[in-house]
Amino acid sequence: MAQAAHRPLLDALGERIASGELQPGVVLTLAGLESEYGVSRTVVRETVRVLEAMGMLESRRRVGLTVRPVNQWNALDSQLIAWQLTGPRRDQQLVVVNELRAAIEPVAARLSATRASDVERAELTRLADQLNELGSQGRGDSEEYLRADIAFHDLILDSSGNLMLAATKSAIAAVISGRSREGLTPPTPHHEALHNHLQTAAAIARGDAEAAEHHTRRYVDAVLSEVRSLS
């Protein structure tokens, strides 16, 4: 699929706002952005439309485009999380999204143990085995491991049967991807982490809600402790 014409400007401007280079209250103009980046007014307008939808910009007549306060941004937007992970707020963002995981994933795993279909239980087991195999081969920092890891956590949230929990998938996937891109995922994952992924899948497969929640909490708490040590 061809890249949208506004994508380069969106990334450039989004990263500047997300990093704090453009502070809340700063006022921009369509004409100024058009001139600074050498793009058409159409590209600028489309970029602004996306950033407004994310809560990062506010457009007002006779004022211009105002950068909004951080607490008004759509914090769960996966693109925003990706921008924040490339800037000086990286460590803080790793912590806050993993705090979200710690609050949500164990509950989702408990629900999954009672609600997942047979197909979902089998797929979770397969993904856990794949993660264990790749990790044991020293490929924990590979794209293949990353894809399997995201699929594993996505499926736990989906199979919980709770649409509100599942709605956090993109945010959690964004921070898993970001952690990998930043070189923070070790080639050989900790044995305990792989073990708890296997145990989580096994508990869900046999319908053991308490064990599913326990083992999920073990691995998300371990990741949270790790990222907190960075900040």
Side-chain angles (χ1 to χ4, degrees):
M1 182 180 295
Q3 184 185 59
H6 70 282
R7 187 77 232 183
L9 177 59
L10 178 62
D11 283 334
L13 194 55
E15 287 176 7
R16 290 179 68 191
I17 297 173
S19 70
E21 179 187 340
L22 295 175
Q23 290 285 320
V26 167
V27 177
L28 308 168
T29 65
L30 294 176
L33 292 172
E34 188 178 351
S35 174
E36 180 179 358
Y37 288 97
V39 295
S40 70
R41 182 63 59 94
T42 299
V43 166
V44 173
R45 288 188 186 279
E46 183 60 21
T47 297
V48 168
R49 185 191 67 78
V50 175
L51 293 173
E52 283 182 308
M54 296 170 68
M56 299 175 75
L57 282 180
E58 180 180 18
S59 178
R60 300 175 69 178
R61 280 181 176 276
R62 301 187 187 86
V63 174
L65 310 165
T66 305
V67 178
R68 301 180 74 189
V70 175
N71 63 5
Q72 295 179 16
W73 300 354
N74 180 1
L76 291 179
D77 189 286
S78 59
Q79 182 58 76
L80 173 56
I81 292 170
W83 289 333
Q84 290 174 319
L85 289 176
T86 64
R89 294 174 178 163
R90 183 199 73 173
D91 294 347
Q92 177 188 0
Q93 191 65 19
L94 285 170
V95 169
V96 297
V97 180
N98 278 291
E99 286 176 343
L100 175 69
R101 290 184 68 190
I104 286 176
E105 273 198 61
V107 175
R110 170 178 281 275
L111 293 173
S112 177
T114 62
R115 297 176 178 175
S117 67
D118 290 343
V119 171
E120 288 170 329
R121 295 174 201 271
E123 179 63 5
L124 276 172
T125 300
R126 186 193 71 79
L127 288 168
D129 288 340
Q130 183 181 13
L131 289 171
N132 187 58
E133 181 179 354
L134 291 169
S136 299
Q137 294 172 355
R139 298 172 61 194
D141 57 352
S142 68
E143 282 296 319
E144 189 176 0
Y145 185 95
L146 176 61
R147 287 193 299 270
D149 197 22
I150 290 174
F152 180 86
H153 297 291
D154 277 358
L155 187 50
I156 287 178
L157 292 165
D158 278 333
S159 61
S160 73
N162 185 305
L163 294 177
M164 297 294 283
L165 295 178
T168 65
K169 282 191 309 181
S170 62
I172 291 173
V175 83
I176 292 173
S177 296
R179 183 168 172 256
S180 178
R181 284 196 306 271
E182 293 296 312
L184 301 176
T185 303
T188 303
H190 297 300
H191 171 76
E192 191 70 9
L194 294 175
H195 171 75
N196 280 298
H197 278 71
L198 289 169
Q199 291 302 310
T200 293
I204 291 174
R206 67 176 182 269
D208 188 338
E210 184 174 349
E213 180 175 357
H214 169 75
H215 287 291
T216 302
R217 194 171 300 283
R218 290 288 300 273
Y219 68 66
V220 293
D221 282 351
V223 173
L224 181 56
S225 296
E226 179 184 324
V227 297
R228 277 177 173 163
S229 70
L230 299 173
S231 57

